[in-house]
């Protein structure tokens, strides 16, 4: 690695260099306590409410353009900004010269107490920039989906959605990206970051941000006890809520080889019934690919996963977090693993120059325990396209529709030949200490016709597969009953005769219909 250097990023129209602050200083703390940019608010400090939303900009692979994404400043550590651009509500406009987003919020009375308003404005700015670049206007439901990470206790959201539509009526006025591109090109010449400073408790702490896979692998092998941090959407809470010390940190987000999505060619097959477009290829998703980009690629192949993608987390969390981090974290209520296990994904592990590959379900050993060896890390995930005759659906049960953690997540897949189940993969989260397949339920349907009797047998077999616990999100009995109901819903939606449309079986579609009428 290179010598220690400051954290460098573009903010407030100029390059910033930060030294001396604890490495786990959040972007929000930096803004409010050091940059004196108090427009960004602290609400939950756990990436849930969106009051701290900011835009982070990065150069594209060609270094010609900058992409802007809204993220939660409260759970982003300052070293993660190195080489990037930071935009806050102060960069939009001022009282004498409001930009279209701000003016629309004023005109539509989209602010009451005002505490959440800067976060809404930043998310709306990201929406505005994206659609202006494409020459499109979002539908009202798309606006609601994009704003799912911003909570408001006052307005009821209607005037905010009104403002989201109104902001496109004014003459276009987007952020001037030319100075951002120029600054980021300068920052790209910096050596990889090594940042050293006392931690919050005063002990020495280092942050490494390697850029090549070989450099990353060598560093990880030499420092097996260092904490790997990807999007910090979980680790950030360890620091903010539990006051945990992280020790030395290795950031994964700058390793170019782990930020790629590649297609590995295979036998040319097609997937029927609207469940996939993979054509026999395998999707290789680098461990540092964001949740948003990874789920976008998965859903393009398997459209039936779209609702699970939208409900996986809020957009700011999906823009920061990574699929590799979600899988490595191994939470039994994580929504990534059920989908990937149902699709037959493999996990690529690496230590130094040595790779090995496991079926994803073999990676999880026990509660928060996995098969990683010292010095080893998750390099990628390989997801084969579903074979012909596949029926697949993904379901998420939670107390809140948007931006909530699952009580139960189920991704159910069958491969049929002449109406007979040849292979079944029923993956559940929230039902055990790890995400796992329902082996007895799968056996109950394999080799028989996919009919109502088979679905009833599979639902009954779940009692032999899982003994769920009761916690704050759901009782054991609720989990048992709803998991069985999801298998029945799966049959109703995939039966040969008169299958039920997925949207007609969702209470949330009815809620959205009511919202659109109201």
């Amino acid at each position: 690695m290179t010598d220690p250097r400051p954290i460098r990023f573009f903010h407030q129209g100029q390059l910033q260099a930060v030294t001396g602050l604890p490495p786990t200083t959040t972007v929000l703390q930096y803004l409010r306590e050091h940059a004196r940019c108090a427009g960004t608010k602290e609400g939950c400090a756990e990436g849930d409410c969106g009051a701290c939303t900011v835009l982070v900009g990065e150069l594209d692979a060609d270094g010609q353009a900058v992409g802007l994404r809204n993220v939660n400043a409260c759970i982003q550590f300052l070293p993660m900004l190195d080489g990037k651009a930071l935009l806050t509500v102060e960069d939009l406009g001022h009282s004498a010269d409001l930009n279209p987003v701000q003016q629309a919020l004023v005109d539509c009375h989209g602010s009451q107490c005002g505490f959440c308003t800067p976060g809404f404005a930043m998310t709306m700015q990201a929406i505005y920039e994206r659609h202006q670049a494409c020459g499109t206007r979002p539908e009202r439901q798309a606006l609601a989906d994009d704003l799912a990470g911003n909570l408001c206790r006052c307005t009821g959201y209607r005037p905010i959605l009104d403002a989201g539509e109104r902001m496109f009526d004014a003459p276009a006025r987007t952020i001037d990206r030319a100075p951002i591109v120029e600054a980021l090109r300068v920052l790209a010449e910096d050596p990889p970051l090594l940042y050293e400073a006392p931690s919050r408790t005063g002990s020495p702490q280092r942050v490494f941000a390697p850029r090549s896979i070989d450099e990353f692998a060598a560093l990880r092998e030499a420092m097996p006890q260092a904490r790997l941090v990807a999007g910090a959407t979980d680790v950030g809470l360890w620091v903010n809520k539990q006051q945990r010390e992280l020790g030395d940190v290795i950031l994964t987000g700058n390793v170019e080889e782990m930020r790629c999505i590649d297609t590995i060619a295979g036998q040319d097959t097609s997937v029927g019934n609207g469940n996939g477009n993979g054509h026999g290829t395998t999707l290789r998703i680098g461990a540092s690919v964001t949740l948003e980009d990874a789920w976008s690629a998965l859903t393009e192949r398997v459209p039936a996963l779209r609702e699970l993608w939208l409900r996986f987390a809020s957009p700011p969390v999906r823009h920061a977090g990574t699929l590799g981090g979600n899988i490595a974290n191994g939470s039994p209520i994580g929504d990534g693993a059920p989908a990937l296990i149902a699709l037959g994904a493999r996990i690529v592990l690496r230590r130094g120059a040595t790779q090995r590959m496991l079926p994803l379900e073999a990676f999880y050993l026990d509660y928060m325990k996995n098969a990683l060896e010292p010095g080893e890390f998750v390099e990628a995930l390989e997801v084969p396209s579903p074979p012909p005759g596949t029926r697949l659906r993904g379901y998420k049960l939670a107390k809140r529709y948007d931006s909530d953690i699952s009580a139960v997540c189920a991704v159910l897949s069958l491969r049929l030949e002449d109406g007979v189940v040849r292979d079944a993969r029923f993956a559940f989260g929230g039902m055990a200490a790890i995400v796992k397949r329902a082996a007895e339920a799968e056996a109950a349907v394999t080799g028989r016709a996919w009919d109502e009797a088979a679905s009833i047998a599979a639902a009954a077999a779940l009692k032999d597969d899982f003994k769920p616990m009761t916690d704050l999100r759901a009782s054991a009995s609720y989990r048992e009953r709803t998991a069985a109901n999801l298998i029945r819903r799966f049959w109703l939606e995939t039966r040969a005769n008169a299958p039920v449309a997925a949207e007609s079986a969702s209470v949330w579609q009815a809620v959205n219909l009511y919202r659109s009428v109201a």
Side-chain angles (χ1 to χ4, degrees):
M1 289 295 294
T2 59
D3 294 330
R5 66 168 177 85
I7 303 165
R8 297 205 335 132
F9 56 94
F10 181 76
H11 179 229
Q12 292 281 282
Q14 57 186 336
L15 295 178
Q16 309 289 337
V18 176
T19 59
L21 294 181
T24 53
T25 299
T26 66
V27 174
L28 177 61
Q29 289 169 331
Y30 168 77
L31 286 171
R32 295 186 61 84
E33 299 171 13
H34 302 280
R36 303 304 179 188
C37 293
T40 307
K41 307 301 183 187
E42 178 176 329
C44 64
E46 57 188 46
D48 194 34
C49 74
C52 68
T53 304
V54 297
L55 301 187
V56 171
E58 292 187 75
L59 281 178
D60 62 13
D62 297 327
Q64 301 301 313
V66 61
L68 298 174
R69 285 191 163 181
N70 50 312
V71 301
N72 296 302
C74 68
I75 51 174
Q76 292 286 289
F77 298 134
L78 197 58
M80 298 167 67
L81 271 186
D82 187 69
K84 302 176 183 179
L86 172 64
L87 301 178
T88 67
V89 69
E90 288 86 357
D91 294 297
L92 299 188
H94 51 81
S95 59
D97 184 26
L98 299 179
N99 81 350
V101 170
Q102 295 167 312
Q103 189 64 57
L105 284 167
V106 171
D107 293 343
C108 295
H109 306 285
S111 178
Q112 288 190 33
C113 81
F115 190 85
C116 67
T117 304
F120 271 99
M122 296 310 293
T123 293
M124 292 169 67
Q125 188 69 41
I127 299 168
Y128 183 82
E129 296 283 332
R130 185 173 73 246
H131 284 277
Q132 289 289 5
C134 298
T136 57
R137 290 182 65 141
E139 298 290 336
R140 194 174 180 90
Q141 183 57 50
L143 282 169
D145 291 337
D146 282 336
L147 287 165
N150 293 86
L151 305 184
C152 177
R153 295 176 62 90
C154 301
T155 66
Y157 301 105
R158 182 196 56 76
I160 296 173
L161 292 174
D162 291 344
E165 295 177 319
R166 179 80 64 87
M167 64 187 181
F168 291 96
D169 293 341
R173 178 179 164 186
T174 57
I175 292 171
D176 182 7
R177 303 194 189 193
I180 302 176
V181 170
E182 182 180 353
L184 294 187
R185 286 174 178 168
V186 172
L187 292 176
E189 300 300 319
D190 287 348
L193 178 68
L194 168 54
Y195 180 71
E196 292 185 356
S199 71
R200 295 183 180 189
T201 60
S203 57
Q205 189 175 12
R206 297 176 295 175
V207 176
F208 300 84
R211 294 177 183 166
S212 75
I213 188 67
D214 291 337
E215 183 182 10
F216 182 88
L219 188 62
R220 181 57 172 165
E221 189 172 26
M223 303 175 62
Q225 301 305 315
R227 176 66 60 188
L228 298 186
V229 175
T233 55
D234 193 27
V235 175
L237 274 68
W238 299 358
V239 175
N240 288 350
K241 300 300 183 179
Q242 300 175 15
Q243 305 301 310
R244 288 171 60 174
E245 284 283 323
L246 299 184
D248 287 337
V249 169
I250 305 174
L251 299 178
T252 71
N254 291 345
V255 182
E256 287 299 325
E257 296 94 328
M258 291 168 62
R259 300 179 61 175
C260 298
I261 299 177
D262 299 306
T263 300
I264 304 172
Q267 183 180 0
D268 186 16
T269 60
S270 60
V271 180
N273 304 292
N275 283 307
N277 305 308
H279 302 294
T281 58
T282 293
L283 201 64
R284 191 179 195 275
I285 304 174
S288 295
V289 172
T290 65
L291 288 165
E292 184 74 357
D293 291 344
W295 275 93
S296 177
L298 288 171
T299 304
E300 184 177 355
R301 285 176 155 243
V302 189
L305 290 175
R306 184 175 185 276
E307 183 174 341
L308 193 59
W309 168 29
L310 292 177
R311 298 189 58 201
F312 182 95
S314 70
V317 168
R318 297 199 304 262
H319 293 161
T322 66
L323 186 60
N326 177 258
I327 295 302
N329 182 44
S331 170
I333 49 177
D335 295 338
L340 296 185
I341 288 174
L343 289 168
R346 302 174 292 271
I347 188 168
V348 181
L349 307 178
R350 177 166 173 169
R351 178 180 179 183
T354 303
Q355 287 184 336
R356 66 185 177 113
M357 189 178 296
L358 294 173
L360 182 55
E361 59 260 42
F363 180 67
Y364 300 115
L365 306 179
D366 202 346
Y367 178 70
M368 303 305 285
K369 293 183 179 180
N370 58 46
L372 280 173
E373 297 176 352
E376 197 171 39
F377 63 94
V378 178
E379 182 177 0
L381 295 148
E382 295 190 354
V383 188
S385 59
T390 296
R391 308 288 191 274
L392 184 145
R393 295 292 187 274
Y395 306 112
K396 177 184 176 83
L397 302 180
K399 292 183 177 181
R400 191 172 64 205
Y401 180 70
D402 289 319
S403 187
D404 200 4
I405 296 173
S406 293
V408 175
C409 179
V411 182
L412 311 175
S413 176
L414 294 173
R415 181 172 62 85
L416 302 179
E417 292 181 1
D418 299 323
V420 175
V421 178
R422 297 305 181 192
D423 181 54
R425 300 181 70 88
F426 296 165
F428 284 86
M431 295 291 288
I434 59 174
V435 174
K436 60 179 292 190
R437 292 171 63 180
E440 296 299 322
E442 293 173 356
V445 301
T446 303
R448 62 186 293 179
W450 180 231
D451 54 20
E452 186 172 14
S455 70
I456 292 172
L462 284 178
K463 292 184 178 179
D464 296 322
D465 283 310
F466 301 113
K467 302 297 179 186
M469 64 179 291
T470 294
D471 59 19
L472 293 174
R473 293 188 175 87
S475 66
S477 61
Y478 174 87
R479 288 185 162 108
E480 289 174 348
R481 184 173 181 178
T482 54
N485 288 346
L486 290 177
I487 289 183
R488 177 165 180 81
R489 177 177 170 181
F490 179 49
W491 173 72
L492 289 170
E493 293 180 5
T494 60
R495 61 188 178 182
N497 297 319
V500 175
E503 57 270 18
S504 67
S506 172
V507 65
W508 300 110
Q509 293 297 326
V511 170
N512 290 334
L513 178 62
Y514 170 79
R515 288 172 177 169
S516 65
V517 172

